[in-house]
Amino acid sequence: MCYEIVSTIVDAMTTAPTASTPSPALARTSPPPAPTAPSPGLPAEGRSPAPALAPAPGRRALDWRLRFGALSLIWGFSFLLIKVGTGGYAPFQVTLGRLAFGTAVLAVAMAVKRERLPRGARTWAHLTVAALLLNAVPFSLFAFAELTIPSTLAGICNATSPLWGMALSLVALSEDRPTRLRVAGLGLGFLGVLTVLGAWQGFDGLDARGTTLALLASLSYPVGWIYLRRTLAHTGSSALSMTGAQLFLATLQLAVVTPLFTDLPTRFPLVPLLATAALGALGTGLALLIQYGLVTEIGPTTAQMVTYFIPVIATAAGVALLGETLSWSTPVGAAIVLAGAALTQARRSRP
């Protein structure tokens, strides 16, 4: 879900809007919002996104494979945490808590690295829109969606972000040229969505409202990526600083909206509260920091492979820990979605 946010911000600061072929893949989220990462603006493989994110000389970081596995688990379990959180609190309250805890983690990281917030009214104005599209809206939509749909279905809907990303980038990004393979991947991916939803049964038993909200959340990510790509190239600020500011703005947005639509809780159930805190501190804050290191060390093409595991882990967690039911069409459809999203990342071979 959040990988796409990191990748797009990194790309916005290292690449001009028309400098490279966009990569619209999940997330994912996220996120993509990151199939491969659902970002229409990934930096070129091997490029260091920001010098400040590189490990200090003489300091040995944890093996990237372990960090990759940890990131997959954290983001895969995010949908379960949303489900548990909304069991005790209103969706807007869960989203506000998520953003607040995530912002706190990034604020500590910025203080340790002595990072400064971005400067300039124009940058903050664009970050305000990005915060709405990449954080406030999709996080809230997923929380509302999971009131009526299983966390497994929400995780699979999140995997459609690369498909929306490619479809939108073909229209909005003139440098993104379709190939037969990528168009085939787009069609295959949406066939997988129809399989997950049981289209041949007339969508019998499907909660249309919750599913629509989850799909709209997934659509919000690529809209935000494209907006970032068009507006925030060469800002001069680090990826950590930009993402920290973006989460802070999203927190302010939810702090304004939440009291208007929800009442102050009269009781504070512990387990949903801990789930919300974990969703923010781990699934948003810590996960972004891990992703920074992965993109810096192994490049975005390898790092974005984490998105293949998110719907798998989300499904396994929902079935094993929440007792959610699973029909044959769910894993089969999810596999088709991921295969289609992977094909949308195919590139023309270069001499």
Side-chain angles (χ1 to χ4, degrees), residues 267-311:
R267 50 188 294 271
F268 296 88
L270 181 59
V271 173
L273 181 61
L274 292 177
T276 301
L279 180 64
L282 301 179
T284 303
L286 179 61
L288 289 176
L289 295 177
I290 295 175
Q291 185 62 30
Y292 289 143
L294 288 176
V295 171
T296 302
E297 182 177 345
I298 61 178
T301 300
T302 302
Q304 68 191 9
M305 296 293 289
V306 68
T307 45
Y308 283 107
F309 298 92
I310 292 175

Side-chain angles (χ1 to χ4, degrees), residues 77-97:
F77 271 85
S78 292
F79 296 96
L80 179 147
L81 294 175
I82 293 172
K83 191 74 171 178
V84 175
T86 53
Y89 300 95
F92 276 139
Q93 293 169 346
V94 172
T95 304
L96 175 58

Side-chain angles (χ1 to χ4, degrees), residues 42-259:
L42 288 173
E45 172 67 52
R47 176 185 296 155
S48 176
L53 301 179
R59 192 174 167 188
R60 185 175 181 83
L62 189 67
D63 185 83
W64 73 265
R65 296 169 186 83
L66 296 178
R67 285 176 283 141
F68 183 96
L71 186 62
S72 301
L73 288 172
I74 290 172
W75 276 338
F77 271 85
S78 292
F79 296 96
L80 179 147
L81 294 175
I82 293 172
K83 191 74 171 178
V84 175
T86 53
Y89 300 95
F92 276 139
Q93 293 169 346
V94 172
T95 304
L96 175 58
R98 173 184 187 175
L99 289 168
F101 281 107
T103 301
V105 171
L106 289 188
V108 171
M110 289 176 62
V112 171
K113 292 178 177 290
R114 298 182 180 179
E115 293 275 356
R116 293 183 177 181
L117 289 171
R119 297 180 180 180
R122 175 183 174 276
T123 298
W124 280 90
H126 289 312
L127 281 175
T128 300
V129 178
L132 187 68
L133 295 173
L134 289 170
N135 302 112
V137 168
F139 289 1
S140 298
L141 288 176
F142 272 123
F144 275 100
E146 291 201 41
L147 290 176
T148 55
I149 67 173
S151 64
T152 55
L153 180 56
I156 293 171
C157 287
N158 183 67
T160 64
S161 284
L163 307 175
W164 297 120
M166 179 194 161
L168 290 174
S169 67
L170 294 178
V171 176
L173 299 173
S174 58
E175 72 273 21
D176 198 13
R177 296 289 182 262
T179 64
R180 292 180 180 178
L181 190 60
R182 298 183 70 196
V183 172
L186 185 63
L188 183 64
F190 283 111
L191 177 62
V193 173
L194 294 177
T195 303
V196 171
L197 302 182
W200 65 91
Q201 298 174 339
F203 305 106
D204 183 43
L206 179 71
D207 183 85
R209 178 179 174 273
T211 305
T212 300
L213 291 177
L215 290 174
L216 287 175
S218 301
L219 174 61
S220 182
Y221 287 125
V223 173
W225 307 325
I226 292 174
Y227 178 84
L228 268 182
R229 216 171 155 222
R230 286 180 170 271
T231 59
L232 287 178
H234 303 296
T235 62
S237 300
S238 72
L240 177 59
S241 173
M242 293 284 284
T243 306
Q246 181 180 303
L247 285 183
F248 171 71
L249 289 169
T251 304
L252 291 182
Q253 291 167 355
L254 262 293
V256 172
V257 170
T258 301

